[in-house]
Amino acid sequence: MERNFGKKAACCTYTEKFIKQANSVFSGAEWNEKNIRFIQAEKNELKGSPLLSAESPVDNELKSIQKVLDKYNEVVSFISACKSFNYSNTELAVRFPVDEVQSKISRANSLRQNHLENSFVDNCTRLHDDLKEIPQSFFRAHIAYG
């Protein structure tokens, strides 16, 4: 019995430290991809622990971390899709997809205006810089199309 108590105490101590460290990373302006991958992996490990009680304060903290990671990954995926946009259909009757491009530019602007829809993710300057570049990326794609 003491052994299990010892494991639970050690787990709680580590979990509290992990949550503080994750929040420290999320509060900073520079988000290192290695740190983000580590946070995701550790969060998954902790969520799978039999010592974690569902709906406990720790469980809720881990869910909050996952929400930050989900929004971060969503924004990163959006930026990646915009940056890799390539339209190569050069048939005479086919026009450059201006509506699709405008929609993506509007989404990028909306994300920036709405603080990336997450106060922690909003701290990541790289995402802001990449979102600012999206209109220019589409302009280059349009020039390459023409």
Side-chain angles (χ1 to χ4, degrees):
M1 187 105 168
E2 283 183 33
R3 194 172 197 175
N4 285 342
F5 177 75
K7 283 184 180 180
K8 188 166 186 165
C11 178
C12 291
T13 301
Y14 173 75
T15 303
E16 289 173 13
K17 180 181 175 184
F18 166 74
I19 290 168
K20 286 179 185 175
Q21 288 178 327
N23 287 328
S24 176
V25 169
F26 294 156
S27 295
E30 300 297 322
W31 290 26
N32 179 307
E33 282 297 320
K34 183 179 173 184
N35 290 342
I36 299 302
R37 285 191 302 273
F38 175 80
I39 291 169
Q40 180 67 62
E42 286 299 295
K43 192 271 318 160
N44 290 345
E45 183 87 16
L46 292 168
K47 283 291 284 181
S49 172
L51 302 175
L52 180 66
S53 301
E55 303 303 322
S56 67
V58 169
D59 186 45
N60 291 334
E61 288 286 344
L62 295 175
K63 286 176 183 175
S64 293
I65 288 171
Q66 187 59 52
K67 285 180 184 177
V68 173
L69 293 169
D70 288 345
K71 181 51 72 175
Y72 172 82
N73 290 328
E74 176 189 323
V75 174
V76 167
S77 294
F78 172 75
I79 291 168
S80 178
C82 290
K83 284 185 170 185
S84 66
F85 179 82
N86 183 6
Y87 192 76
S88 61
N89 189 342
T90 58
E91 293 178 27
L92 189 57
V94 177
R95 298 181 62 115
F96 190 77
V98 174
D99 291 342
E100 178 184 351
V101 168
Q102 279 299 98
S103 173
K104 289 183 188 291
I105 290 172
S106 292
R107 175 70 177 138
N109 290 335
S110 175
L111 280 168
R112 289 183 56 229
Q113 290 170 354
N114 291 313
H115 308 286
L116 301 181
E117 300 172 351
N118 182 289
S119 61
F120 282 119
V121 179
D122 188 47
N123 293 329
C124 184
T125 56
R126 179 176 37 85
L127 296 182
H128 282 281
D129 293 344
D130 288 349
L131 286 168
K132 286 179 197 173
E133 284 292 315
I134 286 176
Q136 187 64 31
S137 294
F138 283 123
F139 178 74
R140 287 189 295 271
H142 190 240
I143 295 299
Y145 168 75

